[in-house]
Amino acid sequence: MTLNDTLHRLLLDNLTTATILLDADLRLEYMNPAAEMLLAVSGQRSHGQFISELFTESQEALNSLRQAVEHAHPFTKREAMLTALNGQTLTVDYAVTPILSLGQTLLLLEVHPRDRLLRITKEEAQLSKQETTKMLVRGLAHEIKNPLGGIRGAAQLLARELPEESLKDYTNVIIEEADRLRNLVDRMLGSNKLPSLAMTNVHEVLERVSSLIEAECQGSITLVRDYDPSIPDVLIDREQMIQAVLNIVRNAMQALAAQSDLRLGRISLRTRTLRQFTIGHVRHRLVVKVEIIDNGPGIPPELQETIFYPMVSGRPDGTGLGLAITQNIISQHQGLIECESHPGHTVFSIFLPLEQGAS
């Protein structure tokens, strides 16, 4: 191998773009580490395998690749759906470039995953909305709490001047309602308490939540645990994280309670680790992913974009503060929370960096 060959191989190996080289029979000649990570396969072990043994797409896509070999015609495909060997579905853009080498046509595939870009875009929009909401809530809280203090003080002064004790029932109502509104505003603002960080096993948090939920539902809902025992301890505030997860699981329990046959309700708690995961503008080497999955009726589509806003609830008796508080706690830990929902399947995913704690 010449110096140029070594340099070219080094450049390909260090590209962040997934790059795959196929021979004229659509068998693997080379894939760089970025492609290995994307498809979750080993390039060395997969050498010589037919393309459909690496990932599957449509028959039409295979025909397009064969035509590219025959006619040496490059093409690009947008938002293609690939299914990797591990069953994961990937949304990608890919460009196919025929290359003539030693009398045969090779195909160079440059694959750009769209899932991550779409997720990052959605996440950035969510974080921007969250910051806007915080500013609005803080401004609203200031405007509400000032007159509430005046109303409460005036009611207290009025109570002292009333000639009959029975009339104080009315001023007591004013004082109690003013306190209730102040407490509601404080809950909307979230806790000002800084996280008390300690190395914690995330499964301890989930087990504590499980014990609370099992006591509440008294066996009427099936609780499934699917843990990865190899996950290391995370630097978190244990009590705050219990509150964050409990808010989600309790919402799932209440959604299941609305179904006709409660015995069929199931909540799953699943933990996994992910490598090279981006949260905000930071790419983390390793994160822990906690999923809370239920088979309830799902979240209405019109609420899915706003469920993390304060005062937004899918239940007539809901306050709409649980998920807002959860998102605030996860954000304090430099994490991320996402939700996907359709009837019969709702997943809340919490991502927490493993190499650092909360800010």
Side-chain angles (χ1 to χ4, degrees):
M1 183 178 288
T2 66
L3 179 60
N4 280 340
D5 291 337
T6 303
L7 180 60
H8 292 160
R9 181 64 176 261
L10 186 64
L11 290 172
L12 285 171
D13 284 348
N14 285 277
L15 284 177
T16 57
T17 301
T19 305
I20 300 171
L21 186 65
L22 305 175
D23 65 15
D25 296 324
L26 303 185
R27 295 185 178 277
L28 181 67
E29 282 286 333
Y30 164 80
M31 67 165 54
N32 68 352
E36 292 179 331
M37 185 177 296
L38 178 67
L39 300 175
V41 296
S42 165
Q44 187 174 359
R45 293 181 182 179
S46 303
H47 186 270
Q49 289 186 345
F50 189 62
I51 187 171
S52 61
E53 297 178 83
L54 304 174
F55 60 83
T56 56
E57 203 193 343
S58 61
Q59 184 61 43
E60 179 185 351
L62 278 177
N63 293 337
S64 297
L65 291 174
R66 291 193 177 99
Q67 290 176 10
V69 173
E70 293 174 8
H71 304 292
H73 180 66
F75 71 91
T76 300
K77 189 168 183 180
R78 304 292 183 188
E79 297 191 7
M81 300 296 293
L82 308 183
T83 303
L85 290 180
N86 59 7
Q88 182 182 7
T89 301
L90 307 169
T91 304
V92 302
D93 295 341
Y94 64 84
V96 178
T97 306
I99 300 173
L100 294 175
S101 175
L102 301 176
Q104 67 169 332
T105 301
L106 305 177
L107 289 186
L108 179 67
L109 276 67
E110 298 171 77
V111 186
H112 302 271
R114 294 276 296 171
D115 302 86
R116 179 176 293 173
L117 293 174
L118 293 172
R119 185 186 59 76
I120 291 174
T121 301
K122 181 180 178 181
E123 176 194 332
E124 287 178 344
Q126 179 179 310
L127 291 173
S128 176
K129 289 177 182 178
Q130 181 185 355
E131 288 302 315
T132 303
T133 303
K134 279 183 180 179
M135 291 176 63
L136 288 172
V137 168
R138 287 186 185 123
L140 182 63
H142 177 74
E143 295 300 323
I144 291 175
K145 291 178 79 172
N146 280 347
L148 274 181
I151 292 170
R152 192 183 193 283
Q156 287 176 319
L157 292 173
L158 180 61
R160 294 175 187 172
E161 302 297 327
L162 291 174
E164 297 179 20
E165 193 68 25
S166 60
L167 294 176
K168 292 185 178 180
D169 291 342
Y170 301 108
T171 55
N172 287 338
V173 169
I174 297 172
I175 292 169
E176 289 169 4
E177 289 301 296
D179 288 342
R180 187 178 66 84
L181 284 173
R182 184 194 62 202
N183 292 335
L184 179 62
V185 170
D186 287 340
R187 289 177 63 195
M188 288 173 63
L189 286 170
S191 174
N192 291 324
K193 179 185 175 184
L194 291 174
S196 178
L197 302 178
M199 297 305 295
T200 306
N201 189 319
V202 72
H203 301 125
E204 289 182 14
V205 171
L206 298 182
E207 283 302 299
R208 176 60 178 162
V209 171
S210 298
S211 64
L212 292 171
I213 292 300
E214 285 172 339
E216 290 182 26
C217 70
Q218 298 181 350
S220 59
I221 293 174
T222 302
L223 205 58
V224 180
R225 297 165 174 84
D226 181 7
Y227 298 159
D228 178 356
S230 67
I231 295 176
D233 289 352
V234 193
L235 189 61
I236 56 174
D237 184 315
R238 182 178 181 273
E239 296 304 317
Q240 284 193 8
M241 200 56 62
I242 288 173
Q243 184 63 57
V245 176
L246 183 61
N247 288 343
I248 300 173
V249 178
R250 192 167 276 153
N251 279 355
M253 183 184 70
Q254 291 168 346
L256 292 169
Q259 295 186 146
S260 56
D261 191 349
L262 187 60
R263 292 171 299 173
L264 298 177
R266 187 179 67 255
I267 300 175
S268 300
L269 302 176
R270 183 163 62 194
T271 59
R272 295 292 186 270
T273 54
L274 298 175
R275 297 184 182 279
Q276 303 300 329
F277 191 84
T278 303
I279 298 177
H281 298 288
V282 181
R283 189 180 180 93
H284 298 279
R285 185 179 58 82
L286 197 64
V287 302
V288 59
K289 179 181 183 182
V290 178
E291 292 180 304
I292 298 100
I293 308 163
D294 73 75
N295 62 343
I299 300 169
E302 64 272 14
L303 289 182
Q304 290 187 24
E305 294 297 319
T306 57
I307 55 171
F308 295 111
Y309 288 178
M311 312 306 290
V312 174
S313 176
R315 303 192 315 275
D317 58 343
T319 63
L321 293 176
L323 291 179
I325 291 170
T326 292
Q327 187 184 50
N328 185 55
I329 291 172
I330 301 303
S331 296
Q332 284 185 323
H333 287 78
Q334 301 180 29
L336 171 69
I337 181 169
E338 293 180 339
C339 175
E340 292 183 9
S341 180
H342 56 80
H345 188 76
T346 297
V347 183
F348 280 88
S349 302
I350 297 173
F351 303 90
L352 296 169
L354 277 170
E355 70 269 21
Q356 60 192 71
S359 59

